[in-house]
Amino acid sequence: MSLDGAELTWLGHASFVLKSPGGRYIVFDPWLEGNPKCPQEFYNWDKADYILLTHGHFDHMGSAEMLAKKTGATVISNFEIATYLASLGVANTIGMNKGGTLEFGDIKITMVYADHSSGISTDAGIIYGGEAAGFVVTLENGLSIYHAGDTNVFGDMTLIKTLYAPDVALLPIGGHYTMSPKEAAYAVDLLEPKVVIPMHYGTFDALKGSPDALKDLLADKPVTLEVLQPGQQYR
């Protein structure tokens, strides 16, 4: 399936850069320098209009403050994370919660449910980071992309399908902290996307789920599995 003018680049783990057909850059869960799967040439990435944070763990927001201050991008996350980043001097933040939709011209960003935790690591220890979430982004061309964040499979993924009909689903498969391929394959049954891109696997020893295992489980399903390498672009 073509993204019809959009471009999606995987930066390893759960970090993605989505360039819209209109040329706006949406960055999901930036964890760049320090991410063992992020290619070094992306450590100093400097293009972002919107930064979407699914939850507060370091491997999802580790580069958010740096990237937001460098680019002036608007950070979109739950209320608690947005408030925390504002306290660090991030100028543009929008706190929201599940069920909310933001509109930026012809781009819509909706926060949806995820089944996970969300503590923020600080020098003083872990502080409350609100609840984890996922995002559905609908682009100018009508394409709908679902970034699940960190999550287990949950039955209300059927509501995400019914309400937002994602064309592309970015799903964690590593296991231990999130879905393994077994749960991710069931999530595909609930979501019915056209394309699945696996993420959040292989970064740490505990994340043993593999794209090959997911491929076997999706063999008889009407979905395309796109396995990206870190730094690779999907159009």
Side-chain angles (χ1 to χ4, degrees):
M1 187 191 88
S2 167
L3 298 189
D4 194 22
E7 300 173 355
L8 184 69
T9 306
W10 187 40
L11 302 187
H13 204 57
S15 301
F16 288 85
V17 174
L18 174 62
K19 183 180 179 182
S20 81
R24 282 175 282 182
Y25 286 88
I26 301 166
V27 182
F28 296 93
D29 284 355
W31 180 37
L32 308 177
E33 189 169 2
N35 175 357
K37 293 295 184 180
C38 181
Q40 189 171 349
E41 60 265 30
F42 290 97
Y43 285 1
N44 294 311
W45 182 257
D46 61 358
K47 295 182 177 68
D49 295 292
Y50 312 104
I51 298 170
L52 277 53
L53 302 179
T54 62
H55 63 291
H57 292 159
F58 75 92
D59 56 330
H60 292 259
M61 60 177 283
S63 300
E65 179 188 355
M66 175 275 294
L67 186 60
K69 290 179 176 178
K70 178 188 291 186
T71 63
T74 298
V75 178
I76 299 167
S77 191
N78 65 35
F79 176 81
E80 291 79 6
I81 292 173
T83 301
Y84 171 74
L85 288 174
S87 76
L88 299 180
V90 174
N92 302 307
T93 64
I94 298 177
M96 62 186 305
N97 220 312
K98 293 175 282 260
T101 297
L102 301 173
E103 296 190 21
F104 301 96
D106 293 331
I107 294 177
K108 295 180 180 179
I109 298 172
T110 301
M111 182 178 281
V112 296
Y113 184 80
D115 186 10
H116 196 63
S117 58
S118 181
I120 301 172
S121 297
T122 72
D123 291 340
I126 294 177
I127 64 174
Y128 180 61
E131 294 187 353
F135 286 99
V136 178
V137 177
T138 304
L139 298 175
E140 304 98 325
N141 59 4
L143 186 79
S144 180
I145 296 177
Y146 169 47
H147 188 298
D150 279 5
T151 190
N152 188 21
V153 65
F154 52 92
D156 284 351
M157 284 181 172
T158 56
L159 294 178
I160 294 174
K161 176 194 71 173
T162 300
L163 289 169
Y164 311 112
D167 298 295
V168 180
L170 314 178
L171 299 181
I173 67 165
H176 194 79
Y177 297 107
T178 70
M179 297 187 287
S180 73
K182 178 180 179 180
E183 290 85 5
Y186 192 76
V188 171
D189 287 338
L190 300 178
L191 293 162
E192 296 183 359
K194 297 180 179 71
V195 175
V196 171
I197 297 176
M199 64 174 182
H200 206 281
Y201 65 90
T203 317
F204 312 116
D205 289 343
L207 306 183
K208 299 184 184 303
S210 71
D212 285 344
L214 182 60
K215 181 180 179 180
D216 290 342
L217 292 166
L218 297 181
D220 298 326
K221 301 182 189 298
V223 64
T224 298
L225 177 65
E226 287 285 344
V227 180
L228 301 181
Q229 298 302 312
Q232 185 178 354
Q233 189 177 86
Y234 177 55
R235 302 181 179 187

